[in-house]
């Protein structure tokens, strides 16, 4: 979330800092890099640069919100978008303390007015933000931040799975619910407070299946 690059700037970045150069060979079949995030994903794959290495080179700030904390905060006056707005504001405010930047870009999840309405109780919310829908497609820093966030998320999910001695799948499929049912049978219904978002439909289906048994 620190700057944007147009196509020319992006090309200069890769050629000057990474010594990237075009090479003769077959075309990339089935891959058309028509947006920055896709180009970066290909670059990462081509050079075999794992996320754990990228995360060492890119400045970032992470704020963790556990499922337990989410479930405690979520309610009538605190929906998911308000939680996201508060956490975005906190992370970005911390980020600019230690880093120079040209722009602050946020992948828009709500209109700007609504975003700041969520921060009405926050003292001195960060201003001067550029909100862009599908910002991953247009801003390299957002594409990279998504990569870093996903990497950290997966690592945290793995830690949570280790705690309960089971692989925790992600998403909203049958396998997710099957694992949820097994955990409730072993640890009781309260385990869902730590491994799931209680307002999601998965949780309701898991509890209904438990009641049938």
């Amino acid at each position: 979330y620190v700057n944007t690059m147009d196509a020319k700037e992006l090309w200069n970045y890769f050629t000057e800092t990474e010594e990237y150069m075009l090479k003769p060979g077959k075309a990339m079949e089935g891959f058309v890099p028509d947006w920055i995030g896709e180009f970066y994903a290909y670059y990462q794959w081509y050079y075999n640069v794992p996320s754990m290495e990228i995360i060492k080179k890119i400045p970032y700030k992470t704020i963790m919100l556990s499922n337990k904390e989410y479930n405690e905060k979520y309610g009538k006056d605190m929906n998911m978008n308000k939680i996201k707005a508060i956490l975005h504001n906190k992370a970005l405010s911390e980020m600019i303390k230690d880093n120079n930047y040209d722009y602050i870009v946020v992948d828009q999840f709500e209109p700007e007015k609504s975003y700041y309405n969520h921060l009405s109780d926050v003292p001195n919310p960060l201003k001067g933000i550029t909100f862009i829908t599908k910002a991953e497609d247009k801003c390299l820093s957002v594409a990279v931040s998504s990569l870093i966030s996903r990497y950290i998320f997966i690592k945290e999910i793995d830690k949570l799975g280790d705690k309960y001695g089971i692989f925790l799948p992600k998403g909203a499929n049958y396998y997710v619910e099957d694992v949820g049912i097994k955990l409730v049978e072993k640890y009781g219904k309260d385990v869902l407070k730590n491994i799931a978002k209680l307002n999601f439909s998965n949780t309701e289906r898991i509890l209904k299946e438990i009641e049938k048994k």
Side-chain angles (χ1 to χ4, degrees), residues 145-196:
S145 69
S146 295
L147 185 153
I148 292 173
S149 296
R150 182 68 177 175
Y151 173 77
I152 294 173
F153 168 70
I154 290 172
K155 298 295 285 185
E156 291 299 311
I157 286 290
D158 288 345
K159 289 179 187 176
L160 194 60
D162 290 342
K163 178 181 176 180
Y164 291 101
I166 192 171
F167 171 74
L168 294 177
K170 297 164 285 294
N173 51 52
Y174 169 79
Y175 187 43
V176 170
E177 292 170 19
D178 184 56
V179 171
I181 291 169
K182 290 177 180 176
L183 286 169
V184 171
E185 290 175 336
K186 184 174 181 179
Y187 297 101
K189 295 179 181 179
D190 282 349
V191 73
L192 294 175
K193 296 177 182 178
N194 298 322
I195 65 166

Side-chain angles (χ1 to χ4, degrees), residues 3 36 41-42 65 70 98 132 142 150 181 186 202 205:
N3 73 314
I36 288 177
Y42 176 77
L65 185 71
Y70 172 89
D98 306 317
I132 303 177
V142 177
R150 182 68 177 175
I181 291 169
K186 184 174 181 179
N202 295 68
R205 290 194 292 269

Side-chain angles (χ1 to χ4, degrees), residues 2-175:
V2 293
N3 73 314
T4 59
M5 292 184 182
D6 60 25
K8 184 177 180 180
E9 290 172 324
L10 183 62
W11 173 258
N12 288 338
Y13 172 83
F14 283 121
T15 55
E16 293 173 10
T17 66
E18 303 292 338
E19 298 181 356
Y20 176 81
M21 64 180 67
L22 292 175
K23 300 176 183 178
K26 293 178 63 178
M28 294 180 290
E29 298 177 359
F31 184 91
V32 181
D34 58 352
W35 50 277
I36 288 177
E38 197 167 307
F39 180 88
Y40 189 86
Y42 176 77
Y43 174 86
Q44 185 187 7
W45 170 80
Y46 182 84
Y47 285 101
N48 191 27
V49 183
S51 298
M52 66 182 295
E53 292 300 323
I54 291 175
I55 206 170
K56 297 175 184 177
K57 301 177 181 180
I58 305 294
Y60 69 94
K61 296 289 182 182
T62 298
I63 297 175
M64 303 286 186
L65 185 71
S66 67
N67 287 307
K68 183 179 180 181
E69 291 171 318
Y70 172 89
N71 291 321
E72 289 172 350
K73 294 179 183 296
Y74 187 90
K76 183 179 180 181
D77 299 321
M78 184 69 74
N79 62 26
M80 183 176 289
N81 281 346
K82 184 169 184 176
I83 292 173
K84 288 171 68 175
I86 291 171
L87 294 180
H88 269 72
N89 181 72
K90 188 173 181 180
L92 291 169
S93 296
E94 289 295 317
M95 186 72 176
I96 65 172
K97 290 179 182 179
D98 306 317
N99 297 279
N100 296 322
Y101 63 94
D102 298 313
Y103 305 98
I104 301 172
V105 180
V106 165
D107 191 3
Q108 184 171 324
F109 53 89
E110 238 189 2
E112 181 176 352
K113 184 178 180 180
S114 298
Y115 175 89
Y116 282 109
N117 284 341
H118 290 319
L119 302 176
S120 58
D121 296 328
V122 176
N124 302 315
L126 186 65
K127 300 288 187 177
I129 296 173
T130 300
F131 295 88
I132 303 177
T133 55
K134 297 184 179 180
E136 264 189 7
D137 301 5
K138 305 157 188 170
C139 180
L140 179 62
S141 58
V142 177
V144 176
S145 69
S146 295
L147 185 153
I148 292 173
S149 296
R150 182 68 177 175
Y151 173 77
I152 294 173
F153 168 70
I154 290 172
K155 298 295 285 185
E156 291 299 311
I157 286 290
D158 288 345
K159 289 179 187 176
L160 194 60
D162 290 342
K163 178 181 176 180
Y164 291 101
I166 192 171
F167 171 74
L168 294 177
K170 297 164 285 294
N173 51 52
Y174 169 79
Y175 187 43

